[in-house]
Amino acid sequence: MINLVFAPHIWDRDHRTLLDAPAVLLTGRIERSAGTLNLSVRRTDVLDIAVPEHRRRIGHR
Protein backbone atom coordinates (compact mmCIF):
# COMPACT_ATOMS: atom_id res chain seq x y z
CA MET A 1 0.00 0.00 0.00
CA ILE A 2 1.19 3.52 -0.71
CA ASN A 3 -0.13 6.86 0.50
CA LEU A 4 -0.86 9.57 -2.06
CA VAL A 5 0.09 13.08 -0.99
CA PHE A 6 -1.29 16.01 -3.00
CA ALA A 7 -0.21 19.62 -2.73
CA PRO A 8 -3.32 21.76 -2.10
CA HIS A 9 -3.19 23.41 -5.53
CA ILE A 10 -3.04 20.03 -7.32
CA TRP A 11 -5.90 18.59 -5.25
CA ASP A 12 -8.04 21.73 -5.70
CA ARG A 13 -7.52 21.63 -9.46
CA ASP A 14 -7.90 17.89 -10.10
CA HIS A 15 -9.85 16.25 -7.27
CA ARG A 16 -13.18 15.93 -9.10
CA THR A 17 -11.48 14.32 -12.10
CA LEU A 18 -9.46 12.01 -9.85
CA LEU A 19 -12.59 10.82 -8.08
CA ASP A 20 -14.64 10.32 -11.26
CA ALA A 21 -12.09 8.97 -13.77
CA PRO A 22 -11.96 5.20 -14.35
CA ALA A 23 -8.13 5.33 -14.39
CA VAL A 24 -5.45 7.94 -13.78
CA LEU A 25 -1.70 8.11 -14.13
CA LEU A 26 0.01 9.81 -11.21
CA THR A 27 3.57 11.08 -11.49
CA GLY A 28 5.64 12.20 -8.56
CA ARG A 29 8.33 11.38 -6.07
CA ILE A 30 8.34 8.27 -3.89
CA GLU A 31 9.30 8.95 -0.30
CA ARG A 32 9.99 6.34 2.39
CA SER A 33 10.00 7.03 6.10
CA ALA A 34 9.88 4.50 8.95
CA GLY A 35 8.53 1.77 6.66
CA THR A 36 5.80 3.96 5.16
CA LEU A 37 5.68 4.68 1.43
CA ASN A 38 4.28 7.95 0.11
CA LEU A 39 3.92 9.23 -3.43
CA SER A 40 4.15 13.00 -3.48
CA VAL A 41 2.01 13.65 -6.57
CA ARG A 42 3.29 16.28 -8.97
CA ARG A 43 1.20 15.52 -12.05
CA THR A 44 -2.10 13.81 -12.84
CA ASP A 45 -3.29 12.48 -16.20
CA VAL A 46 -6.57 10.75 -17.02
CA LEU A 47 -6.17 7.51 -18.93
CA ASP A 48 -8.72 6.82 -21.63
CA ILE A 49 -9.89 3.28 -21.12
CA ALA A 50 -13.11 1.59 -22.09
CA VAL A 51 -15.32 0.85 -19.10
CA PRO A 52 -18.51 -1.18 -19.55
CA GLU A 53 -21.61 0.93 -18.93
CA HIS A 54 -22.81 -1.24 -16.03
CA ARG A 55 -19.49 -0.68 -14.21
CA ARG A 56 -19.82 3.10 -14.43
CA ARG A 57 -23.11 3.00 -12.53
CA ILE A 58 -21.89 1.05 -9.51
CA GLY A 59 -22.42 3.15 -6.43
CA HIS A 60 -24.42 5.81 -8.32
CA ARG A 61 -28.16 5.71 -7.71
Side-chain angles (χ1 to χ4, degrees):
M1 183 179 295
I2 190 166
N3 298 308
L4 302 175
V5 180
F6 293 88
H9 72 279
I10 293 174
W11 182 255
D12 290 342
R13 182 189 67 208
D14 296 338
H15 77 276
R16 182 49 40 206
T17 301
L18 292 168
L19 295 173
D20 291 341
V24 294
L25 176 65
L26 303 174
T27 306
R29 180 184 178 112
I30 294 179
E31 302 169 347
R32 174 184 267 173
S33 176
T36 302
L37 286 176
N38 297 320
L39 174 64
S40 180
V41 178
R42 294 186 177 164
R43 180 178 169 165
T44 65
D45 294 295
V46 174
L47 298 177
D48 288 326
I49 63 170
V51 177
E53 184 63 30
H54 70 278
R55 294 253 181 211
R56 291 184 188 157
R57 294 177 189 225
I58 293 176
H60 297 283
R61 295 179 185 212

